[in-house]
Amino acid sequence: MKRFAQLLDRLVLTPSRNAKLQLLCDYFAKTPDPDRGIALAALTGRLDIASVKPAMLRGLMAERMDEVLFGLSYDYVGDLAETIALVWDQQAVAMPQQAAVEPASLANVVGSLQMAGKTDALAILIRWLDQLDSSGRYALLKLVTGGLRIGVSARLAKLALADYGKVDVTEVEELWHGQEVPFLALFAWLSGNSPKPRQMAAAPFRPVMLANALSETDRQRLDANLYAAEWKWDGIRIQATAEAGVKRLYSRTGDDVGQAFPDLLEAMEFEGTLDGELLVARPELRDRLEVGSFGDLQQRLNRKTVSKKLRVSHPVFLRAYDLLDENGENLRNLSFLERRKRLERFVNPLEQSRFDISPLIEFQSWRELADNRENPPHVAIEGVMIKQWQSTYQPGRPKGPWFKWKRDPMLIDAVLMYAQRGHGKRSSYYSDYTFGVWTDEGILVPVGKAYFGFTDDELKQIDKFVRENTIERFGPVRSVTARKDFGLVFEVAFEGLNRSKRHKSGVAMRFPRISRLRWDKPPNEADTLASLENLIS
């Protein structure tokens, strides 16, 4: 447990991606089984400790510490796990002297909690918290709350595995869903102690091919006649694969998301793998181009169960871009031109309410394609995809064959209303911001949140403004002065705007981020809610 705790501490304080990769690679090399496999499961979101919930931890601290004092501590630290780790009193519950002390290995700690029922889990957790130091307690609490937030994605962890085993990351991704925690066979192969494990899972994930952003230099040097173009839809990139009766839906990072879309799984009456965009249909409209907004799709995301009512009101379908496998035949080494022909034949007999093909855009020059990009036929289109006709399907982001050319982001000026403490290395700063625009009545209403798009120096400036202009406190959140004559204005960039019943303003932004700090602009010149509503077509 100590080694895992040290890993988390170092990852939190390491901004460099390459340095994080090296830390992970060293950890895998020096840590024995099964601890390294359990750590890998935690880093990639495959570790589940269902017996402990954050509410249990809050209740525990209410019994052991003055609630006001704990609330103030939590407000200062900004992270539940870190707060408890720092204030924990190891002497509060004395263990019997004759009780055997089990070694606090990662496997022992996690195993004991996973096997415990809810009635016993809290007592076991207390035992471990009393045995561990502050760093170990922090690591344990991060594990049980399920939110590491250390700047390591599942993809980065897989890249570290590949570096450790000196193999291509594609090989790791292709095996990933066939391996069970704690990944003993996978580590045995990567360590050179056994042959490569066979893919045990049916309907495996195929690592996706990604595009690079198209620059003006690219347009000047590339021959438009060598490329195809299709619309870039504002949905979720997804891979639908069916094999030997097994049906799975994967996100672009290889996560199995099928449980949220049983209606699409049921319609997968084929043998093969489709790559495309998951969208919500508008059942009241006959023209399939009229898809729902990303806000509609969000109603279906991250659900363990989906009601019949939601399946009817927000039916999903797959708009196919590519065909990677057909009846056991690997098509990824074929050209995009040939795969496109195979795709059209493959999708044609499928259920039309669940599957169709993203149409190609006819163009003769980059200028003509630029006009199409700026005048798309639907608001759910966020740009164009450009693919070399002769390109094979290469996992990762190879340079040259595929490009994405997104529409320029929308920009508004909004006023800072609330600020919340960040996490990890940002836990000492107010770095998560809620901003708003003016109604016709002169009232400021929130329209979005953002926590990136600014430099470290700008973060310090905003944090200073928040501390000096706080008018109310709500735990780790502060309300700041925001009047017509005084406040901080952000220029906010975002990819789209949807109507939303969940937000007081009635609108929701897609991918908002801080574009610029407008210290020069008075709050009364910020945008209005009416101007945002006009952006929704």
Side-chain angles (χ1 to χ4, degrees):
M1 192 70 188
K2 183 177 181 180
R3 185 172 288 167
F4 179 68
Q6 291 173 342
L7 174 66
L8 293 190
D9 286 343
R10 291 169 181 169
L11 288 171
V12 166
L13 298 173
T14 303
S16 166
R17 179 175 180 274
N18 288 337
K20 286 181 186 287
L21 281 171
Q22 189 60 54
L23 285 172
L24 290 169
C25 191
D26 291 345
Y27 177 84
F28 294 144
K30 297 175 182 178
T31 305
D33 294 322
D35 278 19
R36 61 182 175 181
I38 295 172
L40 176 61
L43 293 168
T44 56
R46 291 184 62 177
L47 186 67
D48 183 27
I49 303 177
S51 58
V52 182
K53 303 294 182 185
M56 294 171 60
L57 300 177
R58 295 188 183 95
L60 173 63
M61 295 312 300
E63 296 175 359
R64 299 169 65 100
M65 183 177 179
D66 180 80
E67 289 191 61
V68 175
L69 181 57
F70 180 75
L72 292 171
S73 301
Y74 184 23
D75 180 28
Y76 180 79
V77 175
D79 181 273
L80 180 63
E82 186 175 0
T83 304
I84 296 175
L86 292 171
V87 304
W88 187 261
D89 181 5
Q90 290 176 277
Q91 308 304 316
V93 177
M95 293 181 62
Q97 291 184 357
Q98 66 273 21
V101 178
E102 189 178 8
S105 69
L106 187 57
N108 285 342
V109 173
V110 170
S112 65
L113 290 169
Q114 286 180 325
M115 290 186 292
K118 289 185 178 180
T119 54
D120 300 326
L122 198 57
I124 294 173
L125 180 67
I126 291 172
R127 188 189 77 193
W128 288 122
L129 290 173
D130 283 340
Q131 188 174 335
L132 296 166
D133 61 11
S134 177
S135 180
R137 290 194 294 270
Y138 171 74
L140 171 56
L141 291 165
K142 279 295 185 182
L143 285 176
V144 299
T145 54
L148 295 182
R149 297 193 70 171
I150 53 172
V152 174
S153 64
R155 171 72 177 178
L156 192 70
K158 293 171 190 175
L159 284 168
L161 280 179
D163 288 350
Y164 163 66
K166 295 180 173 54
V167 299
D168 193 284
V169 68
T170 301
E171 293 187 81
V172 175
E173 290 186 314
E174 289 179 339
L175 291 170
W176 182 250
H177 288 279
Q179 311 306 309
E180 296 182 356
V181 178
F183 307 105
L184 298 179
L186 184 63
F187 275 110
W189 166 57
L190 293 173
S191 302
N193 298 325
S194 72
K196 181 178 179 180
R198 65 184 181 86
Q199 174 57 260
M200 293 178 288
F205 172 69
R206 274 79 174 176
V208 300
M209 183 172 178
L210 302 171
N212 292 283
L214 184 75
S215 67
E216 184 175 350
T217 302
D218 292 325
R219 297 197 300 275
Q220 291 174 354
R221 68 180 179 83
L222 296 176
D223 183 352
N225 295 317
L226 301 179
Y227 288 82
E230 58 189 352
W231 298 116
K232 188 178 190 305
W233 296 90
D234 189 14
I236 296 293
R237 178 84 175 272
I238 205 163
Q239 188 178 112
T241 182
E243 179 183 72
V246 177
K247 304 174 183 180
R248 300 183 191 275
L249 295 173
Y250 295 107
S251 70
R252 58 181 281 180
T253 55
D255 298 318
D256 192 333
V257 297
Q259 64 182 9
F261 310 105
D263 38 351
L264 184 58
L265 283 173
E266 291 169 2
M268 290 170 55
E269 297 298 331
F270 57 78
E271 288 277 323
T273 301
L274 287 169
D275 182 7
E277 200 82 5
L278 185 72
L279 299 164
V280 167
R282 297 281 297 277
E284 72 277 13
L285 299 172
R286 294 183 179 180
D287 185 356
R288 285 297 303 282
L289 192 63
E290 291 293 343
V291 301
S293 67
F294 188 82
D296 292 329
L297 181 57
Q298 283 183 311
Q299 302 297 314
R300 296 290 305 267
L301 298 179
N302 302 319
R303 290 179 179 268
K304 292 185 177 179
T305 59
V306 182
S307 67
K308 183 178 180 180
K309 180 180 179 181
L310 190 60
R311 291 170 62 170
V312 172
S313 63
H314 293 72
V316 294
F317 72 100
L318 180 67
R319 180 149 285 164
Y321 296 142
D322 218 322
L323 182 63
L324 312 185
D325 182 274
E326 182 178 13
N327 296 321
E329 180 187 358
N330 179 12
L331 308 183
R332 287 169 284 175
N333 291 325
L334 299 180
S335 68
F336 174 71
L337 176 62
E338 183 58 33
R339 295 198 313 277
R340 179 75 187 194
K341 294 176 181 177
R342 298 278 292 264
L343 174 67
E344 291 172 357
R345 293 197 298 267
F346 187 87
V347 171
N348 186 56
L350 300 181
E351 173 57 50
Q352 293 185 3
S353 64
R354 298 296 180 185
F355 301 94
D356 68 5
I357 300 177
S358 183
L360 296 178
I361 307 168
E362 293 186 6
F363 71 103
Q364 301 299 320
S365 66
W366 297 125
R367 182 183 295 275
E368 184 180 354
L369 185 59
D371 291 338
N372 284 314
R373 166 180 169 266
E374 290 304 317
N375 299 282
H378 196 278
V379 293
I381 293 172
E382 56 180 7
V384 296
M385 295 294 298
I386 303 165
K387 300 177 180 179
Q388 196 174 63
W389 282 113
Q390 297 304 315
S391 62
T392 57
Y393 194 94
Q394 306 169 49
R397 202 185 299 272
K399 294 184 178 180
W402 285 15
F403 295 93
K404 57 184 177 181
W405 195 9
K406 298 182 71 172
R407 297 171 66 187
D408 295 332
M410 299 177 178
L411 296 172
I412 64 160
D413 289 327
V415 183
L416 174 65
M417 299 178 67
Y418 306 101
Q420 183 173 350
R421 282 186 178 276
H423 296 267
K425 67 179 183 180
R426 283 185 170 185
S427 60
S428 298
Y429 296 97
Y430 287 91
S431 62
D432 297 13
Y433 309 118
T434 299
F435 43 83
V437 295
W438 301 105
T439 66
D440 291 340
E441 294 76 25
I443 299 172
L444 205 58
V445 292
V447 293
K449 294 182 178 181
Y451 51 88
F452 67 98
F454 41 84
T455 66
D456 288 345
D457 287 340
E458 288 173 331
L459 170 61
K460 294 176 182 178
Q461 295 173 36
I462 303 171
D463 181 77
K464 183 174 184 293
F465 177 88
V466 170
R467 294 176 187 276
E468 292 178 349
N469 295 282
T470 296
I471 54 178
E472 288 184 281
R473 299 188 184 192
F474 311 93
V477 179
R478 292 194 181 195
S479 173
V480 300
T481 303
R483 304 190 307 263
K484 289 273 188 176
D485 61 340
F486 184 83
L488 176 55
V489 178
F490 292 148
E491 181 181 83
V492 180
F494 55 100
E495 300 301 322
L497 202 63
N498 303 313
R499 298 196 182 279
S500 172
K501 295 181 180 178
R502 295 189 303 158
H503 297 78
K504 184 178 179 181
S505 62
V507 298
M509 290 180 172
R510 174 94 159 109
F511 292 139
R513 64 268 192 195
I514 308 302
S515 175
R516 193 160 48 125
L517 303 185
R518 298 299 306 269
W519 298 102
D520 61 311
K521 192 161 193 171
N524 67 319
E525 294 183 10
D527 279 289
T528 65
L529 184 58
S531 65
L532 264 70
E533 290 174 337
N534 288 337
L535 296 175
I536 305 176
S537 12

